[in-house]
Amino acid sequence: MLTISLFLQIMRKYVGAENKSIPSFCAYFFALFMKEPISSREVGLDDDDKYYPFGKESEKSAAYKMYKGKRDIPESVLRAVHANLDKSRFLEAAADIPFDARKNLCTDLSQYRVDCTTDNVDETCAEIFCSIIKAELQKLPGAQIDLFEGRNEVGEAVPPVPIQPARFVDGAVYLPDGDVIKLSVALKPYKNINEATLPYIHALCEVYTERLAKEVTPKTTGELPEKLQRHLELQRQAYFDAKSIERSVRDAFVDGERQFDALKDDAYDGIEMVYFDENHETGYDRLQEVLKKITSTELAKSNLVNIKGFITNKTRKGICHILVDDARIKSWVNTDA
């Protein structure tokens, strides 16, 4: 288990090594995760060495013992950091870690089953520290911390997907309490289809190959009859609509990825019997019946359905194609593939 003591001992080799004493390193490192004082109250606390943790002489003993693993993070420090959390200064400092040192840091972390790369080790370390702060806070008597609480890269609170009815209008989610969450710009289909295209395109090509009795590949989709070209375009639009939703909720809500996974699970449960029905004469028929079924399937496992106007019929159809990418649907033509 990676404790605050072990984590600090690892990080001291890579960030803030110029701080010779243990207390001064702890003060420096914890300050990297706090926004700078802005309000008059915060500035006043800073002037009295009371804003950043371990700034006072009387706190140095606690810092030393925490670093050595002889005590937990002081409650006052936990609350101060959590209330003013901001990862940007740490990420800026960590960006200066040389490449070879990054590899060594990844190796050090791997001993505690932390999987990271030289590209994402900065953010990984920031998340480790924030997770430790939150876990320690939850141990305090009477602590009231939202289990789904999260923060973005600059420490701003990120809400969970609303459990009360909300509205989606013009690219934004309007929450019941009046807050507005702006979502990512919608993705659009790429103009060109090639051999590197995702599995759902190859599954559609298999459908068209069977229907036309001649091979259809991503490179030859431009030769499809007009009706099938239109069909392909509609499927691509649906796919990108669903992928836009997936990306948007992942970025906007702390539990967005989990809620989208629940949506996919619910969708699969709803279409499974139709998909495996042996009475479909062709893969095209199977696909069409599945797309028809998903538009009338009740999706209730995910809180995303609480956002009115968000999960449309186009989104539902797109999720079916994402299930192909996920390999939960192997083929529209051969269910035993």
Side-chain angles (χ1 to χ4, degrees):
M1 178 180 178
L2 194 54
T3 63
I4 188 61
S5 173
L6 294 171
F7 182 62
L8 290 174
Q9 290 174 36
I10 290 173
M11 295 308 301
R12 194 181 181 196
K13 296 184 289 184
Y14 305 99
V15 178
E18 66 276 9
N19 295 276
K20 301 301 182 182
S21 73
I22 289 174
S24 64
F25 167 72
C26 291
Y28 167 79
F29 193 81
F30 275 71
L32 288 179
F33 285 90
M34 295 177 65
K35 66 180 180 65
E36 295 183 359
I38 299 175
S39 68
S40 57
R41 175 182 173 278
E42 292 169 347
V43 172
L45 289 172
D46 190 35
D47 290 340
D48 294 332
D49 292 330
K50 295 180 179 179
Y51 182 75
Y52 292 111
F54 309 121
K56 299 173 68 176
E57 189 68 27
S58 59
E59 297 175 321
K60 291 185 177 181
S61 175
Y64 183 86
K65 291 179 180 178
M66 176 191 67
Y67 182 90
K68 291 294 186 178
K70 296 180 179 180
R71 66 156 297 162
D72 294 330
I73 305 172
E75 179 178 345
S76 60
V77 173
L78 289 171
R79 296 191 182 280
V81 173
H82 186 264
N84 301 284
L85 191 61
D86 184 342
K87 297 187 293 185
S88 58
R89 293 171 63 197
F90 169 80
L91 293 174
E92 183 178 349
D96 293 332
I97 301 175
F99 179 76
D100 287 343
R102 287 172 175 271
K103 291 198 296 184
N104 292 336
L105 176 53
C106 290
T107 300
D108 287 345
L109 293 172
S110 69
Q111 298 179 37
Y112 300 94
R113 299 182 181 180
V114 176
D115 185 20
C116 60
T117 67
T118 54
D119 292 328
N120 67 15
V121 67
D122 311 28
E123 186 65 34
T124 299
C125 288
E127 287 302 316
I128 289 172
F129 182 83
C130 294
S131 296
I132 291 174
I133 293 294
K134 182 174 178 180
E136 291 301 306
L137 265 175
Q138 289 175 335
K139 295 178 183 178
L140 298 178
Q144 297 294 325
I145 303 172
D146 187 352
L147 292 177
F148 297 115
E149 180 191 53
R151 293 176 183 271
N152 61 20
E153 65 275 7
V154 296
E156 299 169 331
V158 181
V161 174
I163 60 175
Q164 299 297 325
R167 294 180 298 114
F168 176 70
V169 181
D170 296 331
V173 176
Y174 292 79
L175 301 176
D177 60 6
D179 286 345
V180 179
I181 300 175
K182 187 71 175 178
L183 300 184
S184 306
V185 177
L187 299 172
K188 293 183 179 180
Y190 304 115
K191 290 184 178 180
N192 297 322
I193 299 178
N194 53 52
E195 290 292 352
T197 310
L198 293 168
Y200 88 100
I201 288 292
H202 291 283
L204 288 171
C205 286
E206 187 180 16
V207 167
Y208 304 142
T209 294
E210 181 190 43
R211 188 170 179 84
L212 297 175
K214 68 174 184 178
E215 184 180 15
V216 177
T217 69
K219 288 185 177 180
T220 62
T221 52
E223 303 170 10
L224 288 171
E226 183 177 348
K227 180 179 178 181
L228 291 184
Q229 285 201 38
R230 176 59 178 164
H231 182 270
L232 173 61
E233 180 61 23
L234 290 175
Q235 307 319 306
R236 297 184 70 217
Q237 289 176 9
Y239 175 83
F240 276 86
D241 181 86
K243 292 298 289 186
S244 290
I245 296 294
E246 182 179 27
R247 185 185 71 169
S248 295
V249 300
R250 182 191 62 210
D251 295 342
F253 302 106
V254 68
D255 60 337
E257 185 173 0
R258 182 170 63 85
Q259 294 293 345
F260 193 83
D261 285 343
L263 190 69
K264 291 192 295 183
D265 289 342
D266 216 7
Y268 183 80
D269 290 343
I271 65 174
E272 184 177 17
M273 289 186 64
V274 174
Y275 172 70
F276 284 106
D277 191 335
E278 297 180 356
N279 292 322
H280 302 303
E281 294 185 1
T282 67
Y284 184 88
D285 294 335
R286 174 176 285 103
L287 171 59
Q288 293 301 91
E289 288 301 313
V290 165
L291 295 178
K292 179 180 178 181
K293 173 61 178 175
I294 193 62
T295 60
S296 61
T297 297
E298 181 181 1
L299 302 177
K301 287 184 179 179
S302 172
N303 289 338
L304 291 172
V305 298
N306 295 328
I307 307 175
K308 186 177 181 180
F310 194 42
I311 306 301
T312 65
N313 281 335
K314 181 185 290 188
T315 308
R316 289 165 172 257
K317 293 176 181 178
I319 289 173
C320 294
H321 296 300
I322 290 178
L323 291 174
V324 176
D325 281 354
D326 292 348
R328 296 183 70 175
I329 290 178
K330 306 294 185 181
S331 164
W332 299 112
V333 175
N334 180 14
T335 58
D336 295 325

